[in-house]
C-alpha cells in the first residue's frame, strides 16, 4: 500500500467517529462569583435566591429576586428561568415550583401538572432596561445565556430563525466574556458555538478561559483537546483529552471517546507505537466497542501492514455491522491504494462472518461487486450482484432491485 495515500486516509478520517461529539456545556455555574460587584440591595436578593436554589425551592428563588431594577438581577433571573423552570411556553413565560423532598426537576418537567405561569419575555425586559440604563456586560450575559438556551431547546421551532438565534447567542456571549462578566459555563458555550463554526483557534482560547474557572469540567476539557488537535496542535491536545477521560469516569461512552482522542493525537504525530499501546489497552477495557479496532486498523494501514489492518477492520465491523458506510469507504481506500485483491479478501471474510444475517450480507455482496467493477472484473462482479439480490430477497428488502440492475448494466457494457 502507498504510504502517502494511507497517511492521507488517516488524516482524512481523523475525528470521523468523534467529530460530532462537541459536548454541550454542563448546567452548573462554576468559577468566580459574578455577582460580587452587584449593588448591596441586588446582592442581598441574589444571595437569598441562591439559598432557595440550593434546596430546590425554585419558585421561592424567583420570588426572592423581585423587580428588574438592576442588570445583575436580570442576569440572575435569566439563569433561574433557563435552568430551573418547571414548565415553559416558548421561553417567554415560565412556571416555577418548590420541589418536595425526593422530587426531581426533570421529572416535574415531564409531568408538570397545573402550575402558574410568570410572563417574562427576556428580549423585552432587557430592551426596556437598556433604554434607561444602556447596555452592560450583565445584559450581554442575560441575552447570550437566553438565546443559547432557546437554541438548545427550540432550534428552528421558535419565533426567530435558527441562524439568527445562533448569531445572537454567539455575539452576546462574546461581549459578556470579553467584558469580564462570565462563569465557566458562559465561556464554554461561546467556545462551543465557535467550534461548530470551525473557528478552532478562537474556540480553544475560550475553552481555556472556561477551564481557568473550572478545570474539572469533562466536556470543556474534551472540546478543548479537540479544538487544539483541529489546529494541528496534537501534542497539546493529549493532556486535556487525558484529563477529560478521567473526568468522564461515570460515563463510559464519553470516556472511551476521550481516550480514543488521545490515541488519535499520537497517530497524527506519527507515534504509532504509543497510539497502538493506548488502543490495545482500550480493547481490553472496552471489549464491546468497535472504536479501538477501527483505529488500530488505521495505524496498521499507515504502516502498510495489510494483514493486521484487515484483521482489525474486520473485528471492528463485526462489533458494529451497522457501520456499513465506513466499511464501504475502507474497501474504497484499499482499491484506490492499488490493493484490490486485499479488498476482495476483506469483504469476503466479512461475508463469511455474517453467515445467517441476510441483510448485512446483501450489502456486503454489493460492496464486493463494486470492488470488482472498479477493477473492471465484470465476470466476478455479476455473481456478487446475484448473491446480493438473493440475500436482499431473503431479508425482505425489495427497494434495491433497480440499483442492482443498474450495476448489471455497467457489467454488460
Amino acid at each position: 500500500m502507498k504510504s502517502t495515500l494511507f497517511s492521507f486516509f488517516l488524516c482524512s478520517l481523523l475525528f470521523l467517529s468523534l467529530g460530532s461529539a462537541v459536548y454541550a456545556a454542563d448546567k452548573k455555574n462554576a468559577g468566580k462569583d459574578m455577582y460580587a460587584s452587584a449593588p448591596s440591595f441586588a446582592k442581598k436578593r441574589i444571595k437569598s435566591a441562591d439559598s432557595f436554589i440550593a434546596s430546590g425551592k425554585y419558585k421561592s428563588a424567583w420570588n426572592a429576586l423581585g423587580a428588574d431594577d438592576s442588570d445583575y438581577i436580570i442576569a440572575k433571573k435569566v439563569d433561574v428561568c433557563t435552568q430551573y423552570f418547571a414548565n415553559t411556553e416558548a421561553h417567554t413565560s415560565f412556571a416555577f415550583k418548590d420541589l418536595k423532598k425526593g422530587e426531581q426537576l426533570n421529572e416535574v418537567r415531564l409531568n408538570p401538572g397545573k402550575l402558574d405561569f410568570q410572563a417574562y419575555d427576556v428580549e423585552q425586559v432587557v430592551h426596556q432596561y437598556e433604554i434607561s440604563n444602556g447596555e452592560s456586560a450583565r445584559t450581554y450575559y442575560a441575552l447570550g445565556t437566553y438565546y443559547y438556551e432557546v437554541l438548545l431547546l427550540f432550534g428552528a421551532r421558535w419565533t426567530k430563525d435558527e441562524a439568527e438565534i445562533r448569531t445572537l447567542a454567539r455575539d452576546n456571549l462574546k461581549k459578556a466574556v470579553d467584558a469580564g462578566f462570565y462563569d465557566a459555563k458562559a465561556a464554554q458555550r461561546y467556545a462551543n458555538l465557535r467550534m461548530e463554526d470551525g473557528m478552532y483557534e478562537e474556540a480553544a482560547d475560550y475553552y481555556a478561559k472556561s477551564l481557568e474557572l473550572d478545570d474539572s469540567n469533562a466536556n470543556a476539557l474534551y472540546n478543548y483537546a479537540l479544538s487544539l488537535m483541529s489546529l494541528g496542535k496534537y501534542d497539546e491536545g493529549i493532556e486535556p483529552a487525558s484529563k477529560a477521560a478521567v473526568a468522564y469516569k461515570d460515563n463510559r461512552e464519553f470516556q472511551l471517546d476521550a481516550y480514543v482522542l488521545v490515541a488519535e493525537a499520537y497517530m497524527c504525530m506519527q507515534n504509532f507505537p504509543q497510539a497502538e499501546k493506548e488502543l490495545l489497552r482500550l480493547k481490553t477495557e472496552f471489549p464491546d466497542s468497535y472504536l479501538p479496532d477501527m483505529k488500530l486498523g488505521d495505524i496498521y494501514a499507515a504502516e502498510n501492514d495489510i494483514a493486521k489492518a484487515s484483521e482489525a477492520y474486520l473485528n471492528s465491523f463485526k462489533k458494529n455491522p451497522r457501520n456499513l458506510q465506513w466499511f464501504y469507504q475502507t474497501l474504497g481506500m484499499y482499491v484506490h491504494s492499488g490493493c484490490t485483491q486485499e479488498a476482495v479478501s476483506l469483504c469476503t471474510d466479512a461475508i463469511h462472518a455474517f453467515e445467517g444475517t441476510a441483510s448485512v450480507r446483501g450489502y456486503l455482496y454489493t460492496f464486493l461487486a463494486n470492488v470488482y467493477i472498479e477493477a473492471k472484473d465484470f465476470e466476478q462482479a455479476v455473481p456478487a450482484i446475484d448473491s446480493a439480490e438473493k440475500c436482499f430477497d431473503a431479508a425482505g428488502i425489495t427497494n434495491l432491485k433497480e440499483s442492482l440492475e443498474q450495476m448489471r448494466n455497467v457489467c454488460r457494457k
Side-chain angles (χ1 to χ4, degrees):
M1 293 186 183
K2 297 179 181 178
S3 176
T4 53
L5 183 55
F6 267 86
S7 296
F8 168 76
F9 169 73
L10 178 65
C11 292
S12 67
L13 287 189
L14 180 63
F15 317 132
L16 179 64
S17 60
L18 305 175
S20 62
V22 180
Y23 298 124
D26 289 340
K27 284 290 185 180
K28 68 178 182 179
N29 284 306
K32 61 187 178 182
D33 178 7
M34 298 190 300
Y35 301 98
S37 59
S40 58
F41 75 89
K43 193 183 299 184
K44 182 178 179 180
R45 282 150 53 186
I46 290 169
K47 183 178 180 180
S48 177
D50 282 336
S51 67
F52 283 122
I53 289 170
S55 58
K57 307 298 183 183
Y58 304 126
K59 185 174 182 179
S60 295
W62 173 263
N63 292 335
L65 289 170
D68 299 322
D69 48 4
S70 166
D71 51 356
Y72 287 91
I73 292 293
I74 293 172
K76 188 64 179 181
K77 277 190 166 183
V78 170
D79 269 338
V80 174
C81 284
T82 55
Q83 294 186 71
Y84 305 116
F85 66 89
N87 204 351
T88 178
E89 293 179 348
H91 260 28
T92 57
S93 187
F94 302 86
F96 304 100
K97 185 177 182 181
D98 287 348
L99 300 182
K100 300 174 183 176
K101 186 176 181 180
E103 199 171 24
Q104 299 296 320
L105 183 57
N106 285 337
E107 295 174 357
V108 172
R109 287 173 177 172
L110 292 173
N111 297 286
K114 187 176 180 180
L115 296 170
D116 295 329
F117 277 85
Q118 171 70 51
Y120 200 73
D121 187 329
V122 174
E123 291 179 308
Q124 186 177 20
V125 168
V126 172
H127 177 67
Q128 290 297 321
Y129 183 87
E130 289 180 339
I131 288 175
S132 301
N133 303 279
E135 298 178 354
S136 72
R138 273 69 61 192
T139 59
Y140 298 144
Y141 173 86
L143 288 174
T145 297
Y146 178 66
Y147 288 124
Y148 193 94
E149 289 288 349
V150 165
L151 185 65
L152 290 179
L153 194 59
F154 298 99
R157 299 175 290 105
W158 204 57
T159 56
K160 283 183 169 61
D161 179 79
E162 186 172 355
E164 183 182 0
I165 302 170
R166 182 178 297 276
T167 298
L168 288 167
R170 183 192 66 210
D171 292 351
N172 281 286
L173 284 171
K174 178 175 173 54
K175 289 177 182 178
V177 175
D178 289 352
F181 188 81
Y182 68 98
D183 55 8
K185 181 179 65 178
Q188 182 186 358
R189 287 177 159 188
Y190 178 69
N192 286 348
L193 292 170
R194 299 314 279 157
M195 187 77 166
E196 291 168 4
D197 292 337
M199 305 299 291
Y200 303 122
E201 187 166 1
E202 191 175 8
D205 289 342
Y206 283 80
Y207 283 129
K209 289 179 182 291
S210 176
L211 290 166
E212 286 175 359
L213 300 179
D214 179 10
D215 62 2
S216 65
N217 186 312
N219 292 340
L221 286 163
Y222 178 91
N223 292 343
Y224 182 44
L226 192 60
S227 63
L228 290 170
M229 291 174 62
S230 298
L231 292 167
K233 300 178 179 180
Y234 308 116
D235 55 338
E236 294 182 34
I238 291 173
E239 182 179 358
S242 300
K243 288 182 177 179
V246 174
Y248 280 133
K249 61 183 184 299
D250 296 326
N251 188 320
R252 294 276 288 172
E253 181 182 355
F254 285 9
Q255 185 177 60
L256 175 61
D257 283 351
Y259 278 130
V260 169
L261 197 59
V262 173
E264 286 187 321
Y266 285 118
M267 290 162 67
C268 290
M269 293 164 62
Q270 306 291 299
N271 188 346
F272 297 132
Q274 186 61 39
E276 181 184 31
K277 180 180 177 181
E278 295 286 334
L279 292 168
L280 289 173
R281 176 179 63 81
L282 295 180
K283 270 178 63 73
T284 300
E285 293 187 15
F286 300 85
D288 297 329
S289 174
Y290 69 94
L291 274 173
D293 283 304
M294 176 192 286
K295 299 303 176 181
L296 282 168
D298 292 346
I299 291 175
Y300 300 140
E303 293 180 323
N304 295 332
D305 192 332
I306 303 173
K308 290 182 72 173
S310 296
E311 180 183 2
Y313 287 141
L314 182 59
N315 286 337
S316 178
F317 187 61
K318 285 178 181 177
K319 293 176 180 178
N320 186 20
R322 291 176 298 179
N323 206 353
L324 285 162
Q325 182 179 2
W326 162 78
F327 194 72
Y328 183 68
Q329 290 173 336
T330 301
L331 293 172
M333 176 267 295
Y334 274 62
V335 171
H336 294 299
S337 298
C339 298
T340 299
Q341 188 54 52
E342 287 80 358
V344 169
S345 296
L346 176 56
C347 195
T348 302
D349 287 345
I351 290 169
H352 291 323
F354 285 91
E355 192 76 40
T357 310
S359 59
V360 175
R361 283 166 63 87
Y363 286 108
L364 290 172
Y365 272 120
T366 64
F367 297 169
L368 182 60
N370 275 312
V371 170
Y372 283 129
I373 289 171
E374 283 284 329
K376 301 190 182 304
D377 189 348
F378 303 123
E379 289 186 6
Q380 296 285 354
V382 172
I385 297 169
D386 294 340
S387 295
E389 187 168 34
K390 290 178 182 178
C391 288
F392 287 138
D393 286 343
I397 298 173
T398 60
N399 63 337
L400 297 175
K401 291 185 179 294
E402 184 177 344
S403 298
L404 293 174
E405 190 58 29
Q406 290 174 352
M407 293 174 67
R408 288 193 181 95
N409 288 335
V410 171
C411 296
R412 295 185 184 114
K413 293 180 180 178

